[in-house]
Amino acid sequence: MNMNDLNERSIIVTGGASGIGAEAARRAAARGARVTVADLSVEAGQAVVAAIRADGGEAQFVRTDISVEDDVRRLVEEAVAAYGGLDGAFNNAGLPPFSSARNGMHPLAGLPAEAVTRSLQVNVLGCFLCLKYEIPAMLASGGGAIVNTSSANGLVAIPFSADYIAAKHAVIGLTKAAATDYATQGIRVNAILPGIIRTPMMLTATGGDAEAVDSFRKAMPIDRLGEPGEIAEVALYLLTDSASLMTGASVSVDGGQTAV
Ligand SMILES: NC(=O)c1ccc[n+]([C@@H]2O[C@H](COP(=O)([O-])OP(=O)(O)OC[C@H]3O[C@@H](n4cnc5c(N)ncnc54)[C@H](O)[C@@H]3O)[C@@H](O)[C@H]2O)c1
């Protein structure tokens, strides 16, 4: 057996309609996985599934708000029903910081409490709910692997992003807790910590402003933005048996951003 194989594995990708998640869904399907794409965004999610099928891959779309328990329960049920079980999950959906070119830039005391609540609901509770329903389905399938998307901001702060920084630190905590609780039961749980990646989320944060993009680029010693595929490849590796000793890890994929 090829240890790096995803062939015929049933895998959920949340946030699979855009950016990093869409790239991961496409690449997983190209490697033979049966992919359940979950997202709030119906049209874009269905387009990702259509592209996978056009290339001969297997995928389905399930409209999901990861912050709503019933949605997540149904997502996992649909993945199991369509593909006979659940072997892997990339819990990647997330909300960007409230501060943005559109909303203005807010130091901690200027952030509306509702913005922090929403960030915690999607980025933290959403991740918890995915773990809560995926893990029992994986136990029933004989084990599995999970990757949660944190961020370089799960380790270090940047200005004006307290909502996001708190949430992404918490994703690392959830990852360690889940890894600890299920390490002896054939379930591995790791976090991936992207640097600044060229996706719609990054463009929303900067409003496309060249100076803002430039300052993001300079935060990465590698002196360029990351591409979605560079995150997707590492996430998929963590889902394979090649990563069999890895659990509870925080894997930085950030061009050196958190090394300096
Ligand atoms: N782009 C970056 O620079 C960067 C850096 C570090 C971490 N991340 C993280 O990577 C992940 C993917 O981000 P991206 O850059 O690909 O962004 P993106 O905006 O391109 O994709 C995020 C997707 O998540 C979906 N989503 C948002 N809220 C949801 C919800 N409640 N339920 C279901 N789906 C929901 C959106 O509809 C969207 O399709 C996020 O968790 C983000 O925080 C991104």
Side-chain angles (χ1 to χ4, degrees):
M1 184 180 117
N2 177 0
M3 296 278 283
N4 200 25
D5 207 351
L6 294 172
N7 205 28
E8 300 197 350
R9 299 221 174 155
S10 166
I11 290 175
I12 287 174
V13 179
T14 73
S18 176
I20 294 165
E23 194 59 35
R26 279 194 286 268
R27 288 181 189 228
R31 283 158 66 172
R34 297 160 163 167
V35 183
T36 300
V37 173
D39 207 289
L40 267 180
S41 173
V42 176
E43 245 175 64
Q46 285 172 341
V48 169
V49 165
I52 288 173
R53 289 181 179 163
D55 286 343
E58 265 190 274
Q60 66 172 345
F61 175 71
V62 180
R63 194 240 170 234
T64 311
D65 181 340
I66 58 160
S67 68
V68 174
E69 185 159 6
D70 281 347
D71 276 21
V72 178
R73 184 189 295 118
R74 197 172 56 86
L75 164 66
V76 172
E77 281 170 6
E78 298 220 1
V80 170
Y83 301 132
L86 185 66
D87 307 303
F90 184 24
N91 296 328
N92 163 79
L95 275 188
F98 176 77
S99 289
S100 68
R102 189 161 53 94
N103 291 340
M105 307 308 279
H106 304 277
L108 188 146
L111 279 172
E114 300 75 42
V116 179
T117 302
R118 191 63 195 141
S119 180
L120 296 176
Q121 273 172 346
V122 174
N123 293 324
V124 184
L125 181 68
C127 179
F128 166 77
L129 290 172
C130 288
L131 291 165
K132 178 176 168 65
Y133 288 95
E134 289 160 359
I135 288 170
M138 285 181 187
L139 290 172
S141 301
I146 299 175
V147 177
N148 298 321
T149 304
S150 172
S151 166
N153 302 131
L155 295 179
V156 297
I158 47 167
F160 312 129
S161 303
D163 51 341
Y164 188 74
I165 289 159
K168 291 300 187 181
H169 275 70
V171 169
I172 292 177
L174 280 175
T175 302
K176 290 177 177 174
T180 303
D181 284 350
Y182 295 96
T184 60
Q185 295 175 66
I187 295 189
R188 297 183 298 102
V189 189
N190 293 291
I192 194 164
L193 283 54
I196 299 148
I197 313 303
R198 195 192 311 273
T199 68
M201 179 181 288
M202 197 273 295
L203 293 175
T204 306
T206 58
D209 175 59
E211 223 170 273
V213 174
D214 209 43
S215 77
F216 275 151
R217 178 176 57 74
K218 287 192 185 124
M220 296 173 67
I222 204 163
D223 200 27
R224 66 173 175 82
L225 299 179
E227 298 298 331
E230 294 180 284
I231 305 303
E233 281 301 318
V234 180
L236 295 186
Y237 170 80
L238 292 169
L239 293 181
T240 70
D241 296 343
S242 294
S244 53
L245 194 59
M246 295 186 71
T247 196
S250 301
V251 181
S252 292
V253 189
D254 66 3
Q257 187 184 347
T258 51
V260 293

